[in-house]
Short mmCIF file of all heavy atoms in Angstrom, two decimals:
data_model
loop_
_atom_site.label_atom_id
_atom_site.label_comp_id
_atom_site.label_asym_id
_atom_site.label_seq_id
_atom_site.Cartn_x
_atom_site.Cartn_y
_atom_site.Cartn_z
N GLY D 48 147.29 116.40 67.27
CA GLY D 48 147.38 115.58 66.05
C GLY D 48 147.67 114.12 66.27
O GLY D 48 147.86 113.36 65.32
N VAL D 53 147.25 108.28 64.74
CA VAL D 53 146.83 106.90 64.99
C VAL D 53 145.86 106.44 63.90
O VAL D 53 145.95 105.33 63.37
CB VAL D 53 146.18 106.79 66.40
CG1 VAL D 53 145.45 105.47 66.58
CG2 VAL D 53 147.25 106.96 67.49
N LYS D 107 138.00 101.21 78.66
CA LYS D 107 137.82 99.92 79.35
C LYS D 107 136.38 99.79 79.88
O LYS D 107 135.74 98.74 79.72
CB LYS D 107 138.82 99.80 80.51
CG LYS D 107 140.24 99.48 80.03
CD LYS D 107 141.32 100.00 80.98
CE LYS D 107 141.33 99.34 82.33
NZ LYS D 107 142.46 99.85 83.17
N ILE D 111 133.02 97.06 78.19
CA ILE D 111 132.23 95.97 78.81
C ILE D 111 130.73 96.26 78.74
O ILE D 111 129.91 95.36 78.84
CB ILE D 111 132.68 95.66 80.26
CG1 ILE D 111 132.63 96.91 81.15
CG2 ILE D 111 134.06 95.06 80.28
CD1 ILE D 111 131.59 96.85 82.21
N ASP D 159 127.48 112.04 94.37
CA ASP D 159 127.97 112.08 95.75
C ASP D 159 129.44 112.48 95.83
O ASP D 159 130.10 112.24 96.84
CB ASP D 159 127.70 110.76 96.48
CG ASP D 159 128.14 109.56 95.68
OD1 ASP D 159 128.85 109.75 94.67
OD2 ASP D 159 127.78 108.43 96.04
N ILE D 208 149.61 93.77 101.73
CA ILE D 208 149.39 92.47 102.38
C ILE D 208 148.29 91.68 101.66
O ILE D 208 147.79 90.69 102.16
CB ILE D 208 149.06 92.62 103.88
CG1 ILE D 208 147.83 93.51 104.09
CG2 ILE D 208 150.26 93.19 104.63
CD1 ILE D 208 147.29 93.46 105.52
N ALA D 250 159.30 101.70 83.91
CA ALA D 250 159.05 101.63 85.36
C ALA D 250 157.56 101.79 85.66
O ALA D 250 157.01 101.09 86.51
CB ALA D 250 159.84 102.73 86.07
N PHE D 388 148.77 118.61 106.46
CA PHE D 388 148.13 119.90 106.14
C PHE D 388 149.14 121.05 106.18
O PHE D 388 149.19 121.90 105.35
CB PHE D 388 146.98 120.20 107.12
CG PHE D 388 146.23 121.45 106.73
CD1 PHE D 388 145.41 121.45 105.61
CD2 PHE D 388 146.38 122.62 107.46
CE1 PHE D 388 144.75 122.63 105.24
CE2 PHE D 388 145.72 123.77 107.09
CZ PHE D 388 144.90 123.78 105.98
#
Side-chain angles (χ1 to χ4, degrees):
V53 167
K107 284 152 65 177
I111 56 112
D159 49 12
I208 58 168
F388 185 71

